[in-house]
Amino acid sequence: MTMLSLVVILPIAALLLKGAAFGPGEVWRVVNTERTWAALSLSFRLSLLAALFNLVFGVLLAWVLVRYRFPGRSLLNAAVDLPFALPTAVAGIALTALYAPNGVFGSFAREFGVQIAYTQLGILIALIFVGLPFVTRTVQPVIEEIEREAEEASATLGADRLYTLRRVILPMLMPAALTGFALALARSVGEYGSVIFIAGNIPLLTEIAPLLIVIRLEEFDYDGAAAIGIAMLVISFAMLLAINLVQIWSRRRIGFV
């Protein structure tokens, strides 16, 4: 409880007290602007898309790493943790160098009329990069514990692979997958270092909410920064609450089955 208070409860309480001292009306005045809503919408919308992408491909990657043996598997398994090891600023610079119009992937995409860096697509790629390990590493231990006998029993009873996947494997993976999804979503919403370099930071287009908070702090507008932080806190809490409710429902459904 002491660690939880120091790391989580006290900072959140300080933010809420700052907002209370600022006044609910003033908080709404700061948040209810076109620039702030655009930044909040961009951050949460792209974070949700990145988390959904990672939910699907993170589970697939975990399944491949656990169930298959192939050349380069150990290297691929180690590469999953790369976003954990890299400082976020280094990751942002590397992604920008790769996807800039004169970069390796950016120049290739430009031949098809697609620009990646300094657009919302570039932000999405950065968020996918930092969030993928959360899903893969959360699901991997669960896949390792799934006994092959359950799949074999399903097959002997006449079920095809798709039915076995849908009714046997996915229900067992769902709680862990949703946990990884929530972790990836939370990381993406607050991501700053890996995004600001590739985003271009154009107001109303590619400006994320964490950057807007930093701008307010640099202007010594601490009340305005706190107001945007409270808005992000409320939206994040609502999204995580919805995910937790789905997790509870999935656990109960597994127990019922």
Side-chain angles (χ1 to χ4, degrees), residues 29-252:
R29 182 187 61 80
V30 172
V31 174
N32 193 28
T33 62
E34 184 181 8
R35 185 178 181 183
T36 302
W37 280 121
L40 290 171
S41 174
L42 177 67
S43 291
F44 284 95
R45 175 166 46 84
L46 293 186
S47 295
L48 183 59
L49 290 176
L52 288 172
F53 181 93
N54 287 330
L55 176 62
V56 176
F57 289 95
V59 171
L60 289 176
L61 179 58
W63 184 270
V64 169
L65 290 174
V66 172
R67 289 300 182 91
Y68 296 95
R69 298 294 182 267
F70 52 90
R73 175 183 172 275
S74 299
L75 182 62
L76 179 61
N77 189 45
V80 172
D81 294 325
L82 189 60
F84 289 149
L86 278 180
T88 56
V90 175
I93 294 172
L95 290 172
T96 305
L98 289 173
Y99 291 103
N102 59 345
V104 176
F105 300 128
S107 59
F108 178 77
R110 188 174 58 177
E111 296 180 359
F112 297 92
V114 178
Q115 181 176 342
I116 299 177
Y118 318 124
T119 66
Q120 295 185 14
L121 179 58
I123 299 174
L124 180 63
I125 291 175
L127 296 180
I128 290 173
F129 174 78
V130 300
L132 181 63
F134 289 94
V135 178
T136 300
R137 291 311 188 208
T138 304
V139 174
Q140 256 185 294
V142 180
I143 297 176
E144 291 173 351
E145 293 178 359
I146 296 178
E147 298 180 356
R148 293 179 181 268
E149 285 78 4
E151 302 171 52
E152 294 170 356
S154 176
T156 56
L157 292 174
D160 57 19
R161 293 293 296 172
L162 182 61
Y163 186 88
T164 302
L165 175 66
R166 182 168 55 89
R167 298 301 299 271
V168 178
I169 297 174
L170 286 183
M172 291 187 285
L173 292 181
M174 187 60 67
L178 288 175
T179 299
F181 172 78
L183 292 173
L185 178 63
R187 171 65 187 272
S188 298
V189 167
E191 183 59 28
Y192 176 78
S194 62
V195 174
I196 56 172
F197 294 100
I198 199 172
N201 308 321
I202 304 172
L204 304 180
L205 292 177
T206 60
E207 186 178 58
I208 59 174
L211 175 61
L212 196 56
I213 292 176
V214 172
I215 292 174
R216 295 290 182 130
L217 292 174
E218 291 176 346
E219 296 173 349
F220 301 101
D221 183 7
Y222 301 118
D223 291 335
I228 300 172
I230 290 173
M232 293 188 67
L233 177 64
V234 172
I235 299 173
S236 298
F237 179 79
M239 295 178 70
L240 293 177
L241 177 62
I243 294 171
N244 286 331
L245 291 175
V246 174
Q247 282 182 303
I248 294 172
W249 173 83
S250 66
R251 289 194 179 99
R252 289 179 177 177

